[in-house]
Amino acid sequence: PMVARPVEQAVPVYRLAPDDKVKIDVYGEAELSGQYLVGSDGRISFPLIGMVQAGGLTLAQLQDRLTQQLGGRYLKHPKVSADIVEYRPFFILGEINRAGQYPYRVGMTIDAAVATAGGFTYRANKRSVAIKHFGEPGEHKVKLTADLLVSPGDTVRVLERFF
């Protein structure tokens, strides 16, 4: 079945995963504030606390977790904020000029992803692509439309057309 995900559709809640880079600010605590990479095990290494599970959490949940773990033992009333600095990359392969891993940009469409990878080859099917979303077991064929969004961690396979 061909499924298109229009831009207007509600964006699913973003959950952190390996290779996401987050900026964490602890108000008034410059030595704790900084950029942290979510490791392959889904954790970040945070001063004072040590390894903190971030994978699978939303930014708000990560803020809450850090606030709880810093509060009481280390800081009186910690104020923690977290933001994404860099999303995990997306992958594009198949009938594309430069297959590979590329940095994700917010609001990235399939057209932008294809352009990033050097455009279609002459054999490319420009009507549909196969996409495997991060965390899903398999790929599914999707109708190629101008507003088709790519998500962080997606693998996009540009199919070959049949002459």
Side-chain angles (χ1 to χ4, degrees):
M2 302 279 266
V3 189
R5 213 169 27 154
V7 176
E8 306 84 50
Q9 186 180 345
V11 178
V13 175
Y14 190 77
R15 296 196 177 275
L16 296 167
D19 290 334
D20 281 332
K21 193 182 287 179
V22 289
K23 178 176 182 266
I24 298 171
D25 282 313
V26 182
Y27 182 75
E29 301 290 333
E31 67 282 355
L32 298 179
S33 300
Q35 293 186 5
Y36 299 88
L37 183 68
V38 179
S40 59
D41 60 356
R43 301 188 305 169
I44 59 171
S45 177
F46 200 80
L48 299 178
I49 303 169
M51 299 308 281
V52 177
Q53 184 63 38
L57 300 182
T58 64
L59 287 171
Q61 290 169 330
L62 177 61
Q63 286 171 193
D64 291 347
R65 180 167 287 180
L66 290 170
T67 300
Q68 286 171 356
Q69 292 187 4
L70 286 169
R73 260 195 333 193
Y74 302 107
L75 304 171
K76 274 239 186 299
H77 299 287
K79 290 187 181 21
V80 178
S81 69
D83 269 314
I84 302 265
V85 179
E86 202 175 287
Y87 290 89
R88 57 189 172 268
F90 73 94
F91 305 86
I92 187 164
L93 47 114
E95 295 302 322
I96 210 80
N97 286 310
R98 289 191 313 273
Q101 168 183 315
Y102 292 96
Y104 172 80
R105 298 282 171 257
V106 175
M108 180 171 263
T109 62
I110 193 70
D111 288 348
V114 166
T116 301
F120 292 113
T121 66
Y122 74 95
R123 290 190 307 270
N125 175 344
K126 296 182 179 113
R127 288 199 190 90
S128 64
V129 292
I131 296 182
K132 181 187 174 296
H133 294 300
F134 182 83
E136 287 183 1
E139 64 180 25
H140 48 276
K141 213 170 173 183
V142 183
K143 187 171 191 239
L144 204 53
T145 58
D147 61 356
L148 179 64
L149 293 175
V150 174
S151 300
D154 278 1
T155 299
V156 177
R157 193 162 56 87
V158 177
L159 308 166
E160 191 173 341
R161 71 183 152 100
F162 298 101
F163 295 91

